[in-house]
Amino acid sequence: MMYSYEKVYDEINNARRFGNQPGVEVTAAMLDTLGHPERGIPFIHVAGTNGKGSTCAFLTDCLMALGEKVGTFTSPHLIDFEERIMVNRRMIGREDVTRIGSQLLETEFPIAPTMFDYCLAMALIYFREQQCSVMVIETGLGGRLDSTNAIGTPGAAVITKIGLDHTAILGETLEEIAEEKAGIMKRGCPVISQRQEAEALEILWSHYEKVNGNRQDFWVVTDEQIREIAGINLRLLGVHQWENAACALATVRRLYPNAGELLPVLAKTGWMGRMELIQEDPFFMVDGAHNAHGVAALARSLRQLYPGAKFHFFMAVMADKDYPDMIGELLPLALDFTTYTPESSRALQGEQLAAFIRTRGVEAKTCDNPRNFLGHLPRGERTVAFGSLYFVGEILEIFREEQDR
């Protein structure tokens, strides 16, 4: 049966977010039922707490420059569901979502898929149909038990910055979280890691040694590599993007020793919702920093890009985030805060967030409708919206609708 696009989207989007069994088991069963569309397509597997999406973007652009046809799978989407599945940076079409989604919804699987499992299966089928020569696959959550870990042994495993996030699921310490991320490492697979806290890096090294018996093909981004990236003007703003770009470049150079000059490619790479300057006057920037580690990177970058400046912050987060630490990072840079309750059952109420901020001695008010806030941005001052990616997506959609009018 062929469903409508709306029916496919609603059925998949409303599927369970978490299942009773690990995602790796669910997807393994799905791929077996589907005849393993993933087989024969090499892939790069990307795990980490922050920087995964940007690193995937850098990787994709470099691989395209080398002549590869690249299927890229990331999550979540900010505006359109189709953002999750791209081939050479072009989103999957709605007609393909409808066709493949209908196929998946009509298939009898031995295990009930979650929303993420459906998305991943759709991506792998589409990449097979499009005859992709390589895939860039971002984990959804963690690594060891993540649905993407059912795909097999990657050509390279990439570990971006590890921090404290999703602690209720992944563990309450850096060591526990690093152990989950390390689960994407496979025997004979090179690993490229960003610089990590010592306790996280030791876990990664230890796991790699258990799998491979040595540390011969485990690489950590160096200061020299970051200085090389810092010498060019990246389209993606933020000092943390230097390391994301350096990590992607190190991965490509490991896999393609004769890759040639790729710095100009990295300079042009963009990724929606990551320190994205929407407009200059009045100044408005959005950033998907949704945990303390990400917000610390945002604060460092704002200080570097706009020395001495103060900002109006527009903020919305999930209740399970470490919002006191997030706010603490930005207090020295804040003129004031405006808070909002995003549309999610997990959302932290905006008034609760504003009340906490006021206890820290900074003015904070709530906003019921982002359109009202965005319609009164102050000229001559700088406003930055950050937090939940759902919130960032809602803002970007408002701006897109305004531009389409």
Side-chain angles (χ1 to χ4, degrees):
M1 177 188 295
M2 180 68 76
Y3 298 111
S4 67
Y5 172 83
E6 290 74 19
K7 175 69 170 177
V8 167
Y9 176 80
D10 287 344
E11 289 286 334
I12 291 178
N13 194 50
N14 292 322
R16 298 176 305 164
R17 298 291 164 161
F18 298 98
N20 297 324
Q21 293 174 274
V24 64
E25 295 179 8
V26 177
T27 290
M30 291 181 73
L31 295 179
D32 193 48
T33 302
L34 294 168
H36 292 283
E38 80 286 2
R39 285 183 178 168
I41 310 176
F43 74 103
I44 298 173
H45 205 177
V46 182
T49 304
N50 291 305
K52 295 192 298 295
S54 299
T55 301
C56 286
F58 285 124
L59 283 167
T60 296
D61 286 356
C62 286
L63 293 168
M64 287 172 58
L66 295 174
E68 300 283 11
K69 189 171 186 180
V70 190
T72 308
F73 176 74
T74 58
S75 62
H77 62 275
L78 296 185
I79 301 176
D80 298 307
F81 174 84
E82 293 75 29
E83 296 166 27
R84 295 169 177 261
I85 303 170
M86 296 189 185
V87 172
N88 279 4
R89 288 289 209 144
R90 292 175 63 92
M91 294 189 298
I92 184 175
R94 285 193 165 201
E95 63 279 5
D96 291 309
V97 170
T98 304
R99 176 178 53 81
I100 300 173
S102 296
Q103 172 193 339
L104 291 172
L105 291 172
E106 284 291 295
T107 301
E108 291 286 339
F109 295 111
I111 301 176
T114 66
M115 182 263 195
F116 189 81
D117 296 309
Y118 275 124
C119 293
L120 178 58
M122 181 182 294
L124 296 173
I125 291 171
Y126 185 65
F127 296 158
R128 166 64 62 189
E129 292 178 348
Q130 293 293 306
Q131 298 181 313
C132 291
S133 58
V134 65
M135 302 183 294
V136 175
I137 305 290
E138 177 190 348
T139 58
L141 184 64
R144 180 176 65 93
L145 300 177
D146 189 69
S147 299
T148 60
N149 215 23
I151 298 175
T153 300
V158 176
I159 311 289
T160 65
K161 275 286 190 285
I162 295 174
L164 294 175
D165 200 6
H166 300 292
T167 52
I169 300 171
L170 300 180
E172 297 184 352
T173 66
L174 278 181
E175 292 93 336
E176 289 174 329
I177 294 174
E179 191 68 52
E180 292 299 315
K181 309 295 185 185
I184 70 168
M185 299 179 190
K186 307 292 194 306
R187 185 170 182 81
C189 165
V191 174
I192 298 88
S193 172
Q194 292 189 9
R195 298 177 300 182
Q196 308 287 355
E197 297 291 340
E199 56 268 43
L201 186 58
E202 189 56 44
I203 292 294
L204 297 180
W205 270 334
S206 176
H207 190 94
Y208 182 86
E209 283 187 321
K210 288 178 186 175
V211 173
N212 289 282
N214 56 58
R215 296 185 182 180
Q216 291 179 358
D217 215 356
F218 187 109
W219 309 91
V220 179
V221 171
T222 65
D223 290 340
E224 182 180 353
Q225 289 166 320
I226 293 175
R227 282 194 295 270
E228 181 182 11
I229 300 298
I232 61 175
N233 290 320
L234 294 179
R235 175 182 166 189
L236 277 172
L237 301 175
V239 294
H240 51 290
Q241 296 296 357
W242 296 346
E243 190 157 3
N244 292 334
C247 187
L249 184 58
T251 303
V252 174
R253 284 174 172 171
R254 167 61 185 80
L255 297 177
Y256 300 78
N258 300 316
E261 182 55 70
L262 291 171
L263 291 180
V265 176
L266 297 171
K268 296 177 182 178
T269 295
W271 193 240
M272 187 165 56
R274 276 66 174 184
M275 285 202 73
E276 184 176 357
L277 185 57
I278 303 298
Q279 59 187 35
E280 295 267 8
D281 186 25
F283 181 105
F284 185 66
M285 175 184 286
V286 297
D287 187 54
H290 56 276
N291 53 47
H293 202 278
V295 172
L298 170 63
R300 288 196 305 272
S301 299
L302 291 175
R303 287 189 177 96
Q304 186 203 51
L305 290 168
Y306 311 103
K310 298 278 188 175
F311 302 85
H312 301 282
F313 289 111
F314 190 21
M315 178 181 185
V317 296
M318 299 295 111
D320 60 349
K321 299 300 178 182
D322 46 357
Y323 62 89
D325 289 342
M326 296 169 71
I327 292 161
E329 294 284 355
L330 294 176
L331 284 177
L333 299 174
L335 291 168
D336 54 37
F337 283 82
T338 300
T339 64
Y340 172 66
T341 307
E343 294 185 13
S344 171
S345 60
R346 296 168 43 229
L348 178 66
Q349 294 300 302
E351 181 50 50
Q352 181 182 345
L353 181 58
F356 175 81
I357 293 171
R358 289 192 289 269
T359 68
R360 303 297 301 272
V362 175
E363 181 184 345
K365 61 182 182 296
T366 59
C367 165
D368 293 331
N369 189 336
R371 291 180 187 274
N372 295 337
F373 178 86
L374 299 174
H376 298 88
L377 295 173
R379 292 190 179 275
E381 297 180 302
R382 296 182 173 92
T383 303
V384 178
F386 74 98
S388 162
L389 287 171
Y390 300 105
F391 169 57
V392 170
E394 192 174 342
I395 289 174
L396 291 174
E397 188 167 20
I398 291 170
F399 272 93
R400 186 171 73 174
E401 289 174 356
E402 291 296 323
Q403 291 172 348
D404 290 343
R405 287 181 179 175

